[in-house]
């Protein structure tokens, strides 16, 4: 996966997270919305504006 692909994946995950939180809040499921906030806290509010991501090596071809 390229850096651009990784960024697009992260952006899509955050967009989904924000949309899901809004739906849960509108359905009076505040506890579930809060759980999503906690799960994605570091992504939603990165310290220093940078997400500390760890690269995952590709599995060796069999």
């Amino acid at each position: 996966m390229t850096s651009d692909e990784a960024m697009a994946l992260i952006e899509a995950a955050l967009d989904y997270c924000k949309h899901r939180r809004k739906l849960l809040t509108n359905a009076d499921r505040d506890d579930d919305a809060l759980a999503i906030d906690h799960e994605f806290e570091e992504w939603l509010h990165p310290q220093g504006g940078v997400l500390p991501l760890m690269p995952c090596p590709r599995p060796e071809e069999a």
Side-chain angles (χ1 to χ4, degrees):
M1 175 180 290
T2 67
S3 294
D4 289 338
E5 290 170 332
M7 275 305 272
L9 184 61
I10 290 169
E11 289 174 8
L14 286 174
D15 287 344
Y16 177 78
C17 171
K18 291 174 186 176
H19 177 72
R20 187 73 180 136
R21 279 187 341 199
K22 187 182 292 185
L23 289 175
L24 290 168
T25 300
N26 290 341
D28 291 328
R29 292 178 56 189
D30 294 331
D31 289 341
D32 293 330
L34 187 59
I36 289 176
D37 276 345
H38 289 304
E39 184 70 26
F40 288 94
E41 178 66 28
E42 188 175 8
W43 286 25
L44 293 167
H45 308 286
Q47 293 182 358
V50 176
L51 282 175
L53 299 177
M54 180 178 285
C56 181
R58 292 184 180 187
E60 293 186 31
E61 294 183 45

